[in-house]
Every structure is written in structure tokens, then in C-alpha cells.
């Protein structure tokens, strides 16, 4: 797991009270399940990402859209978690809203784990990958700190800031990798926005 994906919890552990941090950490425990599944998929998929039968740019778009199609599994997972919390963990019921935001962040991060990371390494851009994620981890931490100084940070704003930072990290990686493999990043970014907005809408209805 990247440092980026724990930066929000690290900061909140020293900036909010134990009750609110507990709600945030409780939501994060379910997100870990999503990340674990994503990492398992990545390990299985990696040998098939780079066959010799197609252009790198075509493979990139194809697998990126495949992974985004898997996003829809998050909808039943969300309702399962909501049902479990509502039935057995009523004292954590306020964590559901946080979980819905963190779930979207984890879906966007899955592109980084499964697609971006593998293509960075395949293209020999190991250092660029590490620098890229370190930079956005710093930006996330700095944003949380500045927001905390200005408005007083709460767990809802922290989750939203993390979501925005995750999306910006995705867009930055898309642009960087697309430049190397000589393709436009528009399709995968637009597809991600549409998929995420649809999933978010479905979740919010219930």
C-alpha cells in the first residue's frame, strides 16, 4: 500500500479527537478489503498486460477500461457494508457517509495500482512513479494542514480532500504516461469521471 493512501489517517490521528478518528479508521478498515482485492487482481493481471500482439497504447486503454468496469462491484459491496454496520455496529453508523467517499477514492487508486504502476515499471519509469506518488503524498498532507489551520479539519472534509487529491494524482499519471506512449488521455479520464459519478449517484440514492 502506498504512503499516499495512509496519509489522511496519519494526519487525522493527531488532529481530531479519538471518537472521530475511530469513525474514520473504521471506514478505512473496509477500504482495506477493497485495496486487498485490487492488489490480488493486479498480481493475476500483470502477466497479461504486456503481450506482444498489440501496441502499448491500445493495451493501456483496453486494460484501463476493463479495470473501470470492475468498479461496479463496489455497489453491492457498499450495500453489504451498510447493512452490516446498520445491523451490528450502530455506534459506527456515522461512518457510512465517510465510507462512501473513501470507497470512491479507493476505486480511483485501483487504477494506480493495477494500470499505472505496471506501465510505469514496464516503460522503465520506476523513479518517475516513486517521485509522482511522493509528490502527491506531500500535496495531500500540505492541503490537510492548510485546511486545518484555516477552517478546522473534520473527517468529512479530510475524506473529500483525499478524494480530490486521488483524482488529481490519477489525472497527472494519465497525462504523463499518455505522453510517453503517444496517446491522448481524454478517453480514460472521461470514462473514469462518468463511472465514478454514476456509482456515487447510485450509492447516494440509498
Amino acid at each position: 500500500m502506498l504512503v499516499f493512501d495512509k496519509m489522511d489517517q496519519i494526519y487525522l490521528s493527531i488532529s481530531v479527537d479519538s471518537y472521530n478518528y475511530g469513525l474514520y479508521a473504521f471506514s478505512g478498515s473496509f477500504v482495506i478489503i477493497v485495496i486487498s482485492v485490487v492488489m490480488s487482481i493486479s498480481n493475476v493481471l500483470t502477466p497479461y498486460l504486456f503481450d506482444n500482439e498489440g501496441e502499448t497504447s491500445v493495451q493501456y486503454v483496453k486494460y484501463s477500461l476493463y479495470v473501470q468496469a470492475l468498479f461496479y462491484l463496489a455497489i453491492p459491496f457498499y450495500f453489504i457494508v451498510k447493512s452490516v454496520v446498520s445491523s451490528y455496529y450502530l455506534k459506527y453508523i456515522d461512518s457510512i457517509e465517510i465510507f462512501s467517499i473513501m470507497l470512491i477514492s479507493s476505486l480511483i487508486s485501483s487504477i494506480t495500482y493495477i494500470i499505472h504502476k505496471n506501465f510505469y515499471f514496464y516503460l522503465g519509469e520506476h523513479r518517475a512513479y516513486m517521485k509522482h506518488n511522493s509528490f502527491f503524498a506531500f500535496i495531500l498532507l500540505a492541503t490537510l494542514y492548510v485546511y486545518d489551520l484555516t477552517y478546522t479539519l473534520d473527517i468529512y472534509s479530510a475524506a473529500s480532500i483525499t478524494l480530490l487529491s486521488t483524482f488529481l494524482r490519477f489525472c497527472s499519471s494519465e497525462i504523463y504516461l499518455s505522453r510517453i506512449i503517444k496517446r491522448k488521455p481524454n478517453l480514460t479520464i472521461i470514462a473514469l469521471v462518468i463511472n465514478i459519478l454514476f456509482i456515487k449517484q447510485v450509492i447516494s440514492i440509498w
Side-chain angles (χ1 to χ4, degrees):
M1 182 176 292
L2 298 172
V3 174
F4 178 92
D5 297 287
K6 299 293 291 183
M7 194 61 68
D8 52 344
Q9 290 194 39
I10 293 173
Y11 186 84
L12 285 174
S13 67
I14 59 175
S15 64
V16 299
D17 59 77
S18 58
Y19 172 74
N20 282 289
Y21 177 72
L23 290 177
Y24 201 89
F26 183 76
S27 300
S29 65
F30 290 107
V31 171
I32 290 175
I33 297 175
V34 177
I35 297 297
S36 298
V37 171
V38 165
M39 295 302 289
S40 298
I41 294 174
S42 177
N43 292 334
V44 172
L45 188 60
T46 298
Y48 302 98
L49 280 176
F50 311 109
D51 56 49
N52 297 317
E53 298 178 359
E55 296 181 0
T56 302
S57 60
V58 175
Q59 293 173 319
Y60 185 90
V61 174
K62 179 175 66 174
Y63 285 109
S64 182
L65 295 179
Y66 282 171
V67 172
Q68 291 191 41
L70 295 175
F71 285 3
Y72 289 89
L73 295 175
I75 295 177
F77 180 71
Y78 170 79
F79 292 122
I80 290 173
V81 171
K82 185 176 181 180
S83 176
V84 170
V85 174
S86 300
S87 300
Y88 303 103
Y89 300 98
L90 283 176
K91 67 177 181 178
Y92 293 111
I93 195 67
D94 292 337
S95 68
I96 292 298
E97 184 177 350
I98 296 297
F99 173 66
S100 68
I101 301 173
M102 295 175 74
L103 180 61
I104 299 299
S105 295
S106 69
L107 294 179
I108 299 175
S109 287
S110 68
I111 294 289
T112 297
Y113 288 123
I114 298 178
I115 304 297
H116 290 168
K117 179 182 177 181
N118 284 312
F119 272 88
Y120 267 113
F121 280 61
Y122 174 70
L123 296 169
E125 296 288 333
H126 308 71
R127 292 184 178 180
Y129 173 77
M130 298 304 297
K131 289 180 180 179
H132 184 86
N133 285 289
S134 297
F135 173 76
F136 276 93
F138 172 77
I139 292 297
L140 173 57
L141 181 60
T143 304
L144 291 171
Y145 178 71
V146 171
Y147 188 96
D148 197 16
L149 288 178
T150 308
Y151 301 103
T152 304
L153 189 69
D154 58 49
I155 56 177
Y156 299 98
S157 56
S160 298
I161 290 171
T162 302
L163 172 58
L164 177 60
S165 298
T166 303
F167 177 70
L168 292 177
R169 180 182 60 160
F170 166 83
C171 292
S172 179
S173 279
E174 279 291 309
I175 293 170
Y176 182 85
L177 290 172
S178 295
R179 186 183 64 192
I180 294 177
I181 63 179
K182 299 179 181 180
R183 58 166 290 272
K184 294 182 178 181
N186 305 20
L187 177 61
T188 47
I189 292 178
I190 292 173
L192 178 78
V193 171
I194 293 174
N195 287 325
I196 291 300
L197 288 177
F198 179 81
I199 293 171
K200 181 64 177 175
Q201 183 63 27
V202 172
I203 288 175
S204 63
I205 291 175
W206 300 92

